[in-house]
C-alpha cells in the first residue's frame, strides 16, 4: 500500500482510474515517450491489457499518441491533466446541481440527522451559512470558529444579520459579538459548534478538544425544532451579554429584535400550520453588515 501511494497509483485509483490504468499512467509520467510494449514490460503486465488501458487513458485525455510508425505514448503532464479533470468535474457537478434543483423540495423534513465526521460537521456549517438569507446565530469555540470564519464574513457581505457567542476575544466587526466568561471554556475539554440559520435549520456539534473526532453532532431542517432552537440560541446570546454587565435595554437596542423577526423558518412553519402552500425557507436580507456593539 505504501508503494502504491508513493508512485501515485493509489491516488489515481481514487480519482477513478483502474489499477492497471493508474500503473500505466504512472509509468509514462516517469518515462515518456514509450511504446505500449515498453510500458507493459516496465510494469510487468500483459501487452494486450496494457494497450487496452492506454486506449482508455487516451480517451480520458491523460496520454497522447504520436502518429509515427513507432506509435509512442506520452503522458500529459499531471498538472495539466488534473486541471482538465477538475474542470470536467465542475461542469458535471453544475449539471447535476441544475437537474437536482428541478426536483420537488417543498415537502417539510422533520428528521434529525447524525454527522459522524468532523469534516462533515464543518462542511454542513459552511453550507448553512452560504444558504442563509436573513439571520445566522453562531455559538462556537475557537477552533470551529476559525473553520467557518470566511463563510460567516461572506454571509455578512450578502446582508445576513449575524450574532456570535465566542469564547475568546475576536475581531469580527461585521457581526454582533458577545464573549463568554473564560471559566465556561475552561470547564469544557471539548470544541462546541452550534449554528442556527434563518430559523430554518440548525446544527449542534460537540467534538473532542483537538477537534479530531465527533462526540455527537446533529443537523436538522425540522421547522418546529429549528425555530425553537433559533429562539433558544438567541436568548442565550442575549443572556450572556447581560451577565457580562450590559443593561437589558441596551442589549435589546443592540440586537434590534432581528433574531425574533419573521425569519424564513418562522414563515414556513406558520404557513404549514395554517395549511397553506409551503413557504420558502429563504427570504430577503435583514440588513447590511452588522457593526459590533
Amino acid at each position: 500500500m505504501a508503494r502504491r501511494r508513493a508512485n501515485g497509483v493509489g491516488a489515481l485509483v481514487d480519482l477513478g482510474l483502474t489499477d492497471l490504468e493508474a500503473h500505466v499512467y504512472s509509468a509514462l509520467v516517469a518515462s515518456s515517450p514509450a511504446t505500449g510494449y515498453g510500458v507493459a514490460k516496465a510494469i510487468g503486465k500483459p501487452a494486450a491489457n496494457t494497450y487496452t488501458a492506454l486506449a482508455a487513458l487516451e480517451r480520458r485525455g491523460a496520454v497522447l499518441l504520436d502518429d509515427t510508425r513507432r506509435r509512442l505514448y506520452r503522458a500529459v503532464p499531471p498538472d495539466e491533466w488534473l486541471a482538465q479533470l477538475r474542470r470536467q468535474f465542475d461542469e458535471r457537478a453544475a449539471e447535476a446541481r441544475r437537474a437536482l434543483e428541478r426536483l420537488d423540495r417543498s415537502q417539510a423534513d422533520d428528521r434529525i440527522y447524525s454527522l459522524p465526521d468532523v469534516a462533515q460537521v464543518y462542511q454542513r456549517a459552511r453550507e448553512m451559512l452560504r444558504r442563509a438569507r436573513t439571520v445566522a446565530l453562531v455559538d462556537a469555540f475557537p477552533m470551529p470558529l476559525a473553520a467557518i470564519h470566511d463563510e460567516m464574513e461572506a454571509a455578512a457581505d450578502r446582508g445576513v444579520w449575524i450574532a456570535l457567542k465566542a469564547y475568546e476575544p475576536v475581531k469580527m466587526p461585521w457581526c454582533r459579538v458577545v464573549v463568554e466568561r473564560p471559566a465556561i471554556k475552561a470547564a469544557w475539554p471539548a470544541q462546541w459548534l452550534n449554528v442556527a440559520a434563518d430559523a430554518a435549520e440548525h446544527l449542534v456539534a460537540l467534538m473532542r478538544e483537538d477537534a479530531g473526532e465527533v462526540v455527537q453532532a446533529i443537523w436538522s431542517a425540522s421547522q418546529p425544532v429549528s425555530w425553537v432552537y433559533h429562539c433558544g440560541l438567541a436568548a442565550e446570546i442575549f443572556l450572556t451579554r447581560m451577565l457580562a454587565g450590559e443593561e437589558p435595554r441596551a442589549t435589546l437596542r443592540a440586537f434590534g429584535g432581528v433574531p425574533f423577526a419573521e425569519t424564513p423558518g418562522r414563515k414556513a412553519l406558520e404557513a404549514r400550520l395554517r395549511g397553506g402552500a409551503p413557504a420558502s425557507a429563504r427570504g430577503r436580507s435583514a440588513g447590511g453588515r452588522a457593526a459590533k456593539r
Side-chain angles (χ1 to χ4, degrees), residues 28 59 151:
L28 282 171
R59 290 193 298 272
E151 284 73 21

Side-chain angles (χ1 to χ4, degrees), residues 9-115:
V9 169
L12 291 170
V13 170
D14 290 343
L15 287 175
L17 270 62
T18 67
D19 188 76
L20 179 56
E21 290 167 359
H23 276 92
V24 168
Y25 182 74
S26 294
L28 282 171
V29 169
S31 181
S32 282
T35 63
Y37 177 78
V39 174
K41 187 175 180 181
I43 63 176
K45 300 294 182 180
N49 294 349
T50 300
Y51 277 108
T52 299
L54 283 164
L57 289 169
E58 188 179 3
R59 290 193 298 272
R60 288 174 176 266
V63 302
L64 301 173
L65 173 62
D66 73 14
D67 58 0
T68 66
R69 291 180 61 186
R70 293 193 63 195
R71 295 184 63 79
L72 295 173
Y73 292 89
R74 177 183 296 277
V76 173
D79 285 348
E80 180 181 336
W81 183 55
L82 291 173
Q84 175 185 322
L85 285 183
R86 187 177 298 111
R87 286 193 300 272
Q88 291 172 346
F89 177 83
D90 289 344
E91 290 169 0
R92 291 167 184 166
E95 183 178 350
R97 180 188 293 273
R98 289 191 294 270
L100 292 171
E101 285 177 346
R102 290 193 290 269
L103 300 177
D104 182 18
R105 297 175 297 169
S106 62
Q107 195 170 22
D109 182 359
D110 289 336
R111 296 176 181 83
I112 295 173
Y113 298 92
S114 294
L115 305 175

Side-chain angles (χ1 to χ4, degrees), residues 169-187:
V170 294
K171 292 183 179 180
M172 299 171 67
W174 33 265
C175 73
R176 270 78 171 177
V177 177
V178 57
V179 180
E180 183 58 274
R181 293 162 293 167
I184 300 299
K185 180 175 180 293

Side-chain angles (χ1 to χ4, degrees), residues 223 262-279:
Q223 293 168 344
E262 291 190 3
T263 59
R266 176 176 172 176
K267 291 177 181 178
L269 180 57
E270 289 175 346
R272 178 179 174 184
L273 293 173
R274 293 191 178 100

Side-chain angles (χ1 to χ4, degrees), residues 125-233:
R126 294 183 185 113
E127 291 299 329
M128 290 172 65
L129 291 162
R130 289 169 186 153
R131 287 191 291 266
R133 293 294 176 267
T134 62
V135 56
L137 307 178
V138 179
D139 173 8
F141 272 33
M143 197 175 295
L145 179 60
I148 64 171
H149 175 279
D150 291 351
E151 284 73 21
M152 290 176 64
E153 185 171 10
D157 282 338
R158 296 195 312 272
V160 177
W161 192 99
I162 300 178
L164 166 68
K165 180 178 177 181
Y167 292 81
E168 63 183 23
V170 294
K171 292 183 179 180
M172 299 171 67
W174 33 265
C175 73
R176 270 78 171 177
V177 177
V178 57
V179 180
E180 183 58 274
R181 293 162 293 167
I184 300 299
K185 180 175 180 293
W188 287 99
Q191 296 285 339
W192 280 102
L193 175 59
N194 306 310
V195 182
D198 283 343
E201 54 182 324
H202 67 282
L203 166 72
V204 180
L206 176 63
M207 295 166 282
R208 299 290 180 190
E209 193 166 15
D210 62 356
E213 180 185 353
V214 171
V215 177
Q216 185 175 9
I218 61 169
W219 168 86
S220 178
S222 164
Q223 293 168 344
V225 179
S226 294
W227 169 245
V228 171
Y229 184 75
H230 167 91
C231 292
L233 188 52

